[in-house]
Amino acid sequence: MSSLTEKDRPIVQLLLNTGTCPRCILRFCCVGSQMLYRQPHKDLMKDLQEFLKNSQEKEETVCLVVADPPCKRIRLEHREGGADDLNHNGAVPQLPSAGSGNTAMESSAGKVCNVCLGVLQEFCEADFVKKVCQKVNSADYQFTSFVFSVSLPPQLSVRERAAWLGVKQQMRNLGLPLAKDDIIQLKEAYKWIIHPQLSEELGVPADGKSLFEVSVVFAHPETDEECHFLATACPDCFKPAKNKQSVFTRMAVIKALEKIKEEHFLKHFPCPPSSPKNLCDALEIQCNNGAVFVAGRYNKYSRNLPQTPWIIDGERKLESSVEELISEHLMAKFKADSFNFSSSGREDVDVRTLGNGRPFALELVNPRRIHFTAEEMKRLQQAINDSSDKIQVRDLQLVTRSAIGHMKEGEEEKTKTYSALIWTDKAIQREDIAFLDDLKELKLDQKTPLRVLHRRPLAVRCRLIHTMKSEYIDEHHFRLHLKTQAGTYIKEFVHGDFGRTKPNIGSLLNRTADILELDVESVDVDWPPTLAD
Amino acid sequence: RICVITLAEAHPLLQSGKTITNINYQISANCSRLQNKVSGKSKRTRLFIFQMQGAQFLTELAPLCRISSSDGEEYTIYSCIRGRLIEVNENILSNPALLQEKPSTEGYIAVVLPKFEESKSITQGLLTQKEYEEVLLKRRSSAS
């Protein structure tokens, strides 16, 4: 921890004279005491002024800190500083505006800081904190912590560099050494000041890992063009903009500032920077909660229900869908903006899903409510089940983002079992289909089915039918139970899809076969965890 | 809408007595329907668009294949549908009898995908099964 020392004096003097606010001055002097920054603006101003006045009266000491120990440190360094004050010529360096402490205060008071453009001034005050908290409270979110993120206009980086170069120049002119310390970052200092205030007002702690984000975007249109000169110095940093957005993004500007040569910068930009007329604008105060994930398994009992809404040319072709029936209640309870539905594979409109059902995961985007007990989830599940006889859900529970990975795994790797009602053109007897039961690990070559070729690439997929069990019904019908590899097209295995799935039931039985009904009997995934009823 | 091109019911090749000796997908020196580049490994939809761009675009009169019969006749089968050639049926190359035994299913000739915008107009320009049968009836009565 360091506080102001003798070597800081010319820096403080210059910055105060040229319109930099006290907190930015502290940053430039690498003052790391968070508490100092939280002092009221007026007090800091007074302390700085006194510190400067002290250059004339070296016997007095200035205590710029609240606690004792740092105070002593200043006193000590002050005495030692006496010798360091002399440059190598032995002369005491003359400060250009010695004794102008008062003038410095006057010139800075009421002015918008030429470095932070007011961010460390007005936007640290109780009024702004109140404004932010009002927005948060009115948005009616449920949260236990918050992360406060701030977007600063890119020209702040330019001005920061300009102020630093101004300081560098000044120190060079005075023949004084300038230690290359890391100045305190603006965002960091801002958070030191505003976090405790927000925390107090909202009643929850600030936490970098929080899922609840309060974000503010600051803009300063008055100085937006200040970045433009960088484009001439480092043109390759600024790629052509997409969608009319400004080329001068924060990242691009920072990159250019790393590349640009000091002389070039000094030539094109006033160092230190000039005072702006206006404060920054706080453009938007937005709240966002991280997504929550709800998982479960669904059964589908309708042969007339698509998984996702079936809309062509703006016209809905079939009423409702699996995802809508499940998400409707959850969206309302969690008060989310939108959802993303995913499942371990899916079935056609006319196929039922029986057994334990198919695992699904619902991502609820920006939910206002996030806390639900197991009891409440059970009630939610009941509500969904009471609302429709077309679907039923089970094992409804809150899960983490890893849910999506489980869905994928289930879709691509896990076996499924089916029951198909099959018709044949030529008559069959029991003996004709008995051999199917003995076929194990039957290898299929399936070209992309014609019925999906308009939206899927043409490919051949190799799939396995692990086991089959036939049930004779009559001369033209039998039921077939199959256990297959993930990604097998069952309908095409039955009718052959113009000979593009080989072998197929038709080719195996040497007849023309077609499928009348298909049911999913099980999706062999043991996720999400089964819940006790 | 996907279109499957097959031999029409009344096509000479499907009348009794004809034996197919050869099916050739090489249309000209530079064009073989067998070399249609629509193959890919990924099931991701992004690749789909690139695949479509590589596929041969057919107009109504674009020849799909030439079929020779034992009596010395050669028949050119035309696409009749404007669209991208998705695939030609290689099964009939290895088993030409398929073309005559199951012309409407396993013996299909090719699969064509019209442009999305043209889909409706193309469908409307086709005959229904009933309308086709009426055409055949008229043809036979005027011939006799």
Side-chain angles (χ1 to χ4, degrees):
Chain A
M1 254 209 338
S2 58
S3 303
L4 292 186
T5 66
E6 267 312 302
K7 65 171 168 58
D8 298 319
R9 200 179 297 281
I11 301 174
V12 174
Q13 189 81 80
L14 173 70
L15 291 177
L16 209 50
N17 283 354
T18 53
T20 305
C21 74
R23 291 183 179 123
C24 281
I25 293 176
L26 289 179
R27 293 194 301 113
F28 274 77
C29 297
C30 310
V31 174
S33 156
Q34 296 189 21
M35 276 209 291
L36 258 185
Y37 291 86
R38 292 179 196 141
Q39 296 287 83
H41 191 268
K42 259 198 303 220
D43 293 356
L44 285 175
M45 195 52 107
K46 216 172 94 200
D47 286 344
L48 281 180
Q49 181 205 359
E50 285 200 23
F51 171 74
L52 284 179
K53 236 177 16 179
N54 223 36
S55 61
Q56 286 89 56
E57 304 130 24
K58 284 192 180 170
E59 307 89 64
E60 282 177 50
T61 55
V62 148
C63 189
L64 219 77
V65 199
V66 176
D68 269 323
C71 222
K72 288 194 191 130
R73 200 184 305 149
I74 275 192
R75 224 175 289 144
L76 266 166
E77 290 178 25
H78 185 86
R79 238 181 267 140
E80 288 165 7
D84 292 344
D85 274 353
L86 306 172
N87 62 21
H88 62 278
N89 277 341
V92 175
Q94 289 302 314
L95 296 169
S97 17
S100 63
N102 280 331
T103 333
M105 184 166 130
E106 279 158 25
S107 66
S108 267
K111 257 200 190 163
V112 177
C113 176
N114 65 341
V115 176
C116 70
L117 300 177
V119 171
L120 292 183
Q121 297 173 291
E122 246 74 355
F123 292 104
C124 291
E125 300 297 308
D127 278 344
F128 181 66
V129 173
K130 258 203 180 53
K131 194 169 162 211
V132 173
C133 293
Q134 251 166 28
K135 188 71 203 284
V136 172
N137 290 328
S138 68
D140 196 28
Y141 277 82
Q142 213 175 31
F143 54 93
T144 52
S145 63
F146 70 94
V147 61
F148 186 57
S149 57
V150 163
S151 169
L152 299 171
Q155 55 269 38
L156 280 191
S157 315
V158 176
R159 281 169 162 266
E160 185 113 327
R161 172 68 62 90
W164 180 246
L165 288 180
V167 164
K168 241 176 125 173
Q169 253 190 335
Q170 174 77 321
M171 296 301 267
R172 218 182 291 135
N173 294 346
L174 295 174
L176 291 171
L178 181 61
K180 202 164 201 283
D181 284 329
D182 289 321
I183 63 174
I184 308 293
Q185 290 301 302
L186 202 161
K187 260 196 197 173
E188 214 190 326
Y190 186 50
K191 290 194 177 175
W192 287 344
I193 306 164
I194 204 161
H195 272 185
Q197 295 182 68
L198 283 174
S199 204
E200 163 118 27
E201 193 78 21
L202 293 174
V204 297
D207 178 4
K209 293 205 212 86
S210 178
L211 288 174
F212 179 60
E213 186 190 24
V214 181
S215 57
V216 182
V217 175
F218 287 112
H220 199 252
E222 182 192 317
T223 55
D224 269 343
E225 295 187 353
E226 284 181 358
C227 301
H228 291 10
F229 78 96
L230 289 169
T232 50
C234 316
D236 46 309
C237 286
F238 300 99
K239 298 212 180 97
K242 316 176 192 177
N243 307 331
K244 294 184 197 162
Q245 275 170 358
S246 175
V247 167
F248 299 100
T249 61
R250 205 168 148 70
M251 287 315 299
V253 166
I254 290 174
K255 226 171 143 195
L257 285 174
E258 281 169 15
K259 283 175 120 185
I260 192 172
K261 291 216 167 68
E262 207 176 293
E263 309 87 63
H264 192 115
F265 191 101
L266 288 167
K267 227 198 294 178
H268 287 87
F269 200 85
C271 303
S274 56
S275 290
K277 290 197 212 86
N278 303 304
L279 273 179
C280 271
D281 301 317
L283 280 188
E284 307 159 24
I285 301 169
Q286 283 188 333
C287 300
N288 191 287
N289 232 342
V292 295
F293 294 84
V294 176
R297 300 180 82 110
Y298 71 83
N299 283 104
K300 178 170 174 277
Y301 298 117
S302 164
R303 291 203 187 276
N304 211 21
L305 187 70
Q307 215 205 38
T308 53
W310 196 331
I311 301 170
I312 299 180
D313 294 333
E315 219 185 291
R316 192 184 270 270
K317 295 292 171 186
L318 271 181
E319 213 186 288
S320 199
S321 61
V322 172
E323 75 169 34
E324 283 169 291
L325 289 174
I326 295 177
S327 64
E328 202 183 318
H329 282 88
L330 293 170
M331 281 285 283
K333 266 273 148 44
F334 282 77
K335 298 199 191 167
D337 281 346
S338 62
F339 67 86
N340 288 314
F341 182 88
S342 56
S343 56
S344 269
R346 51 189 177 165
E347 57 286 309
D348 289 337
V349 173
D350 58 353
V351 174
R352 297 187 304 177
T353 306
L354 309 174
N356 264 349
R358 188 184 295 278
F360 69 89
L362 191 68
E363 178 186 356
L364 292 151
V365 179
N366 197 15
R368 306 297 188 278
R369 295 276 167 277
I370 56 173
H371 295 307
F372 289 89
T373 61
E375 263 309 305
E376 289 170 308
M377 289 307 286
K378 272 217 176 80
R379 263 181 270 145
L380 247 177
Q381 177 175 301
Q382 194 58 53
I384 297 173
N385 290 339
D386 290 340
S387 71
S388 171
D389 52 3
K390 293 186 180 174
I391 57 137
Q392 293 284 284
V393 300
R394 70 178 74 211
D395 304 332
L396 198 69
Q397 57 197 272
L398 284 165
V399 293
T400 64
R401 192 174 277 275
S402 68
I404 308 296
H406 285 288
M407 291 294 107
K408 266 280 85 127
E409 198 192 316
E411 178 168 343
E412 292 170 1
E413 295 170 27
K414 304 295 183 176
T415 60
K416 324 277 189 311
T417 65
Y418 301 88
S419 168
L421 179 58
I422 301 176
W423 167 90
T424 58
D425 62 343
K426 290 198 285 237
I428 46 167
Q429 304 309 322
R430 274 178 217 274
E431 314 84 73
D432 296 320
I433 60 170
F435 76 99
L436 292 172
D437 296 5
D438 300 326
L439 290 175
K440 305 289 177 211
E441 309 303 314
L442 179 67
K443 247 172 89 187
L444 302 183
D445 283 316
Q446 298 197 287
K447 279 200 187 150
T448 308
L450 288 176
R451 64 185 169 97
V452 302
L453 256 187
H454 63 283
R455 57 184 167 86
R456 285 262 184 280
L458 180 66
V460 183
R461 52 185 63 65
C462 245
R463 288 293 184 268
L464 290 175
I465 309 269
H466 298 299
T467 58
M468 286 188 275
K469 180 101 185 65
S470 57
E471 258 176 56
Y472 185 84
I473 298 176
D474 61 39
E475 284 191 338
H476 293 279
H477 301 92
F478 69 100
R479 192 168 278 283
L480 187 66
H481 300 273
L482 334 77
K483 180 170 177 170
T484 75
Q485 189 182 354
T488 311
Y489 285 96
I490 308 300
K491 292 179 180 176
E492 277 68 18
F493 170 60
V494 175
H495 61 60
D497 190 34
F498 289 69
R500 298 164 77 258
T501 286
K502 289 194 276 213
N504 54 77
I505 293 289
S507 70
L508 290 171
L509 296 181
N510 202 15
R511 287 161 170 79
T512 300
D514 206 351
I515 184 166
L516 298 179
E517 269 177 19
L518 181 62
D519 290 331
V520 178
E521 302 260 274
S522 72
V523 176
D524 306 324
V525 186
D526 54 12
W527 191 92
T530 314
L531 298 180
D533 273 326
Chain B
R1 268 169 193 262
I2 275 281
C3 298
V4 182
I5 316 292
T6 63
L7 282 184
E9 203 179 296
H11 197 280
L13 280 169
L14 294 182
Q15 309 320 309
S16 56
K18 291 275 187 183
T19 315
I20 295 175
T21 53
N22 184 52
I23 301 175
N24 193 0
Y25 279 113
Q26 185 89 35
I27 300 308
S28 62
N30 296 327
C31 180
S32 165
R33 299 302 180 201
L34 285 174
Q35 280 171 7
N36 195 40
K37 281 202 178 86
V38 191
S39 50
K41 286 180 200 153
S42 171
K43 68 176 179 181
R44 296 291 151 235
T45 335
R46 220 176 296 142
L47 203 57
F48 181 52
I49 299 168
F50 294 131
Q51 292 185 355
M52 287 297 101
Q53 284 172 355
Q56 297 168 10
F57 191 83
L58 304 172
T59 56
E60 291 92 329
L61 294 177
L64 284 174
C65 63
R66 299 193 209 284
I67 305 177
S68 319
S69 53
S70 56
D71 56 4
E73 294 276 2
E74 197 193 68
Y75 301 91
T76 303
I77 312 298
Y78 299 98
S79 172
C80 307
I81 298 273
R82 270 175 65 85
R84 290 220 177 266
L85 179 63
I86 305 293
E87 70 176 31
V88 292
N89 190 359
E90 294 189 32
N91 291 330
I92 59 177
L93 283 182
S94 49
N95 184 12
L98 211 48
L99 187 51
Q100 292 170 308
E101 285 165 21
K102 300 204 172 144
S104 303
T105 53
E106 272 131 82
Y108 72 95
I109 310 255
V111 178
V112 177
L113 179 64
K115 282 190 194 168
F116 182 73
E117 318 79 78
E118 294 179 14
S119 197
K120 216 171 187 173
S121 62
I122 286 174
T123 317
Q124 283 166 355
L126 301 173
L127 299 175
T128 62
Q129 178 70 23
K130 205 156 170 252
E131 289 167 341
Y132 177 60
E133 278 162 19
E134 281 168 25
V135 167
L136 289 183
L137 263 173
K138 272 200 209 117
R139 204 186 284 168
R140 287 186 196 126
S141 58
S142 64
S144 57

